[in-house]
Amino acid sequence: MTLAAARIDTGDTAWLLAATALVLLMTPGLALFYGGMVRTKSVLNMLMMSFVSIALVTVVWLAAGYSLAFGDDIAGGLIGGLDHAGMADLGPADVHGTVPTLLFATFQLTFAIITAALISGAIADRAKFAAWLVFVPLWALLVYVPVAHWVWGPGGWILDRLGALDFAGGLPVEITSGASGLALCLVLGPRLGFKKDAMRPHNLPMVMLGAGLLWFGWFGFNAGSALGANGLAAAAFLNTLAAGCTGLLGWLFVEQKRDGHPTTLGAASGAVAGLVAITPSCGAVSLLGALVVGLAAGVVCSYAVGWKFKLNYDDSLDVVGVHLVGGIIGTLLIGVFAAKGMTGGAEGLLYGGGLGQLGKQLVAVVAVGAYAFAVTYGLGKLIDKVMGLRAAEDDEHQGLDLTVHAETAYDHGVLGHGAPISASVVPTAQKVKSQA
C-alpha cells in the first residue's frame, strides 16, 4: 500500500461517494421541477435541457474544467493550470484531503452540471436547442470554471485573498446561474404572450416531486461539501433541513397574507429558496442562523419573483427571483450570522465580528454577479449573431417538443379506431394530412 493510499479514509470516501450520487440526482430532479412548471407543449424540451447538460458539462470538465478550476493557480488567483487536462496524472492512489482525488473531481463535476442546467429555467419555451448545446460547454469554461477557482481552488482570490466564505456554492452555483439566467433572458427577450397569456405550470405534482428530489439531493450538496463523515457534515445537514423548512413556511406566509391562499407551487418554491440561501452558509452559521437565513429567503424571494413583471424581463421559471436573490441573501448573511464554532475563526456581525466579514461577502457577491452577467450576456449575443439563440416564432407557438424533438409528452388525440396517437406518429400524421 502506498503512502497516499494509506491516507484515504474509508468512511469519508463512502460518504462522499453517496453525496456525489445525491448531487447528480438533483439534475433529473431539477428537470422534473422545471418540466412541471412549463406548459404542455414544451415539457420534453425542458427535460432535455437538463439531461443534455449532464453529458456536455461532463465532457468539458474531464477535458479541462477540473484542471482549470482546481489546478495550481497560474494567474494571480484567477485560474488554475492545465496540468491535469484530460485528468492526466490522476489515479486511484491520488488523494485530496482524505478522499481519492478522482472522487473529489467527480463530486465537483456534479456541481458544475446542475449550475448549467439551472440557467435553462430562465429561457424556457423559447431558446433554440442547438444553441443550448453550444452555450453550455462554452459557459462552463468561461464562467463556472473561473468562479469555482476563485472560491474553492488553490490560490483563488476570493478565498485566499479576500477571505469571503462560501461553504457549498452560493457564489459559483446560485449567483452565477441567477446572473447568467438574467443575462440570457435579456438577450432572448420575453416569450410570446408574456404578461398577456396565462402561463401556469401544467403539472404541479411533477413540480412537487422535482422539489422533493432536489431537497433530498441537497443534503449531499451541502453536507457532502464537508468532504468527510464528520461533525461539520452533520451540522451542514441539519442546517440544510432547517432552512428548507423555514423557507417553505416563509413563502406560504407571504402567499396567505398577499393572495389569501397558500399554494403547492409556493411550498415547492419556498423550500428551494431556503435551500438556495443556506447553500453558502450551512457550514458557517449556527442552527439559529440557518432558521433565519431560510426564513429571509422564503419571504424575500416570494416577492422577488414578481419583479420580472415590473421590470419587464421574462425569467420564465424564476431563476433570478429564487437563485440569484436567494444566493445573495445566503452569502451576505454569513457576514451577520457566521459563528466561530462553525468557521473556526471568522465571526459575523451578530457575534461581535463587526462589519469586516459582511464587507468581504458583499465584494464577492458583486464581483461574481457582475462577471457572470457580463460574460454570459456577451456569449449570448455572440451565439445569437452566429446561429440564432431564439427559436422561430412558429416553433415557439406550436411548442418546442413537437418542432424540435418530434415528440409530445402527452397524447391529446386519436387516430383510426380510437387508438391514441403516439409521440412518434404525430409528425407523420401531420405530413399525411398536409399531402392529402
Side-chain angles (χ1 to χ4, degrees):
M1 181 181 292
T2 66
L3 179 61
R7 292 179 5 235
I8 293 177
D9 184 284
T10 54
D12 292 346
T13 301
W15 164 233
L16 197 61
L17 283 165
T20 301
L22 285 170
V23 182
L24 182 60
L25 180 64
M26 292 177 73
T27 300
L30 179 73
L32 292 174
F33 184 68
Y34 279 172
M37 291 175 70
V38 296
R39 292 166 288 177
T40 55
K41 62 184 181 179
S42 295
V43 182
L44 300 179
N45 181 256
M46 201 71 255
L47 298 176
M48 281 287 286
M49 291 179 83
S50 285
F51 271 83
V52 78
S53 297
I54 299 175
L56 293 171
V57 176
T58 296
V59 172
V60 169
W61 189 256
L62 297 179
Y66 171 74
S67 186
L68 292 170
F70 291 96
D72 292 336
D73 185 80
I74 60 170
L78 297 178
I79 199 71
L82 287 171
D83 292 344
H84 299 302
M87 309 306 286
D89 301 323
L90 294 176
D94 293 293
V95 179
H96 181 97
T98 59
V99 301
T101 302
L102 291 176
L103 175 57
F104 172 75
T106 308
F107 179 64
Q108 292 297 338
L109 163 61
T110 60
F111 281 62
I113 289 169
I114 194 168
T115 307
L118 282 169
I119 300 170
S120 65
I123 57 174
D125 289 333
R126 63 197 190 280
K128 277 187 178 179
F129 188 68
W132 179 249
L133 298 180
V134 174
F135 171 81
V136 168
L138 292 176
W139 181 90
L141 280 175
L142 296 175
V143 178
Y144 183 84
V145 164
V147 175
H149 182 77
W150 300 353
V151 178
W152 295 321
W157 73 270
I158 286 180
L159 176 63
D160 286 1
R161 302 187 185 189
L162 178 62
L165 302 177
D166 185 345
F167 189 73
L171 293 163
V173 177
E174 309 300 352
I175 292 177
T176 56
S177 62
S180 297
L182 177 60
L184 274 194
C185 70
L186 291 177
V187 173
L188 278 174
R191 288 167 290 178
L192 298 175
F194 177 61
K195 296 200 294 185
K196 297 178 182 178
D197 299 339
M199 299 181 181
R200 300 184 183 92
H202 89 282
N203 192 327
L204 286 169
M206 184 187 291
V207 173
M208 294 294 279
L209 175 61
L213 289 173
L214 284 170
W215 201 336
F216 179 62
W218 229 298
F219 292 119
F221 201 90
N222 288 356
S225 293
L227 303 181
N230 51 40
L232 183 57
F237 194 109
L238 179 57
N239 283 345
T240 300
L241 175 60
C245 291
T246 53
L248 185 155
L249 294 173
W251 194 299
L252 292 185
F253 173 80
V254 172
E255 281 193 329
Q256 180 65 48
K257 183 182 178 187
R258 182 186 58 198
D259 308 323
H261 45 261
T263 67
T264 53
L265 180 60
S269 300
V272 170
L275 294 166
V276 165
I278 200 61
T279 293
S281 53
C282 61
V285 303
S286 65
L287 179 58
L288 174 62
L291 291 168
V292 176
V293 167
L295 182 63
V299 171
V300 176
C301 291
S302 66
Y303 287 105
V305 296
W307 295 348
K308 61 185 179 184
F309 299 110
K310 297 179 180 178
L311 300 177
N312 203 37
Y313 63 88
D314 186 10
D315 171 22
S316 305
L317 306 183
D318 301 319
V319 179
V320 177
V322 174
H323 292 276
L324 178 58
V325 174
I328 290 172
I329 289 171
T331 304
L332 290 181
L333 287 183
I334 292 174
V336 178
F337 293 104
K340 188 175 182 180
M342 292 289 291
T343 66
E347 292 181 307
L349 180 63
L350 189 65
Y351 293 90
L355 294 171
Q357 191 63 45
L358 181 59
K360 295 174 183 178
Q361 301 300 126
L362 178 60
V363 170
V365 165
V366 172
V368 170
Y371 175 80
F373 179 87
V375 176
T376 304
Y377 190 86
L379 180 59
K381 282 289 190 182
L382 177 62
I383 293 175
D384 189 42
K385 183 176 182 180
V386 172
M387 61 184 299
L389 186 60
R390 181 157 185 160
E393 186 172 323
D394 286 346
D395 290 351
E396 184 179 342
H397 180 73
Q398 293 182 53
L400 301 181
D401 288 358
L402 189 58
T403 59
V404 176
H405 307 291
E407 299 173 304
T408 56
Y410 308 101
D411 294 328
H412 296 296
V414 295
L415 184 65
H417 300 288
I421 302 175
S422 69
S424 60
V425 171
V426 172
T428 303
Q430 289 182 337
K431 182 178 180 181
V432 171
K433 182 178 179 182
S434 64
Q435 290 176 342

